[in-house]
């Protein structure tokens, strides 16, 4: 991938489903639209050169929750590239990189939701997570303070 005209070497090291909660299919009406709301947040582990993308998906129908799903994707960035994000005791993750990680999280969520709903024999297996416009959701870069260890 090329972000900000520089390649960012990374690998996905972990995908964790934190929550998968399907309400009873009795509450599901196939004739009524299902709305999806999403949230994204990020955290960094500076010594490990890792970034976590947390994503949450809530399906509602007639203002009733029919599915709650929460996923974490962890990315390990090559040390030199990760260190290039740090300037003046701040680590900045560019908005395009945040969106890129969120794109991977959305794809993982789409597959997980579908597979888990099928396993549970839920009618929600027929509801595929739609495309999500991450430009509208993730609008700015994320800045994290860099705390240096105290010298003895």
């Amino acid at each position: 991938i090329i972000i900000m005209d520089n390649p960012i070497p990374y690998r996905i090291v972990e995908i964790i489903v934190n929550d998968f909660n399907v309400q009873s299919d009795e509450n599901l009406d196939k004739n009524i639209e299902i709305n999806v709301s999403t949230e994204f947040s990020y955290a960094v582990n500076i010594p490990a050169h890792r970034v976590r993308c947390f994503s949450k998906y809530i399906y509602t129908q007639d203002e009733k929750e029919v599915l709650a799903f929460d996923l974490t994707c962890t990315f390990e960035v090559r040390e030199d590239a990760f260190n290039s994000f740090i300037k003046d005791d701040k680590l900045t993750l560019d908005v395009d990189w945040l969106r890129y990680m969120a794109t991977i999280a959305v794809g993982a969520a789409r597959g997980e939701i579908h597979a888990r709903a099928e396993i549970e024999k839920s009618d929600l297996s027929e509801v595929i997570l739609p495309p999500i416009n991450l430009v509208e959701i993730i609008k700015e870069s994320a800045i994290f303070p860099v705390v240096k260890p105290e010298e003895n």
Side-chain angles (χ1 to χ4, degrees):
I1 177 165
I2 298 192
I3 302 288
M4 302 181 310
D5 297 325
N6 295 311
I8 298 178
Y10 74 95
R11 66 186 184 110
I12 302 167
V13 294
E14 190 173 59
I15 297 175
I16 298 173
V17 174
N18 303 303
D19 184 32
F20 179 77
N21 185 6
V22 175
Q23 302 301 318
S24 169
D25 278 347
E26 294 172 12
N27 297 332
L28 196 61
D29 184 339
K30 291 184 179 183
N31 299 313
I32 299 175
E33 184 175 284
I34 292 177
N35 295 306
V36 179
S37 63
T38 57
E39 296 175 20
F40 297 90
S41 60
Y42 300 87
V44 295
N45 179 330
I46 293 172
H49 311 111
R50 291 186 175 188
V51 180
R52 280 200 164 149
C53 175
F54 302 97
S55 58
K56 185 172 197 165
Y57 310 83
I58 304 291
Y59 288 25
T60 57
Q61 190 177 65
D62 277 346
E63 299 183 23
K64 294 180 202 149
E65 185 176 297
V66 293
L67 173 109
F69 183 78
D70 192 334
L71 180 91
T72 301
C73 290
T74 303
F75 301 83
E76 184 177 290
V77 180
R78 194 173 66 207
E79 184 175 0
D80 60 325
F82 191 88
N83 289 339
S84 74
F85 302 156
I86 300 172
K87 289 186 178 47
D88 301 324
D89 295 331
K90 292 179 185 164
L91 184 145
T92 302
L93 298 176
D94 182 75
V95 67
D96 289 330
W97 177 236
L98 297 177
R99 290 176 185 147
Y100 181 77
M101 288 184 288
T103 300
I104 293 170
V106 169
R110 185 174 289 118
E112 285 281 355
I113 291 169
H114 178 73
R116 287 169 186 258
E118 270 194 342
I119 289 168
E120 291 199 10
K121 300 194 183 326
S122 168
D123 289 340
L124 281 172
S125 66
E126 298 173 20
V127 180
I128 306 298
L129 179 65
I132 296 172
N133 186 341
L134 297 170
V135 172
E136 289 182 3
I137 297 172
I138 303 169
K139 296 184 179 192
E140 57 190 31
S141 299
I143 300 171
F144 301 90
V146 175
V147 179
K148 295 183 180 178
E150 300 212 10
E151 295 181 25
N152 293 333

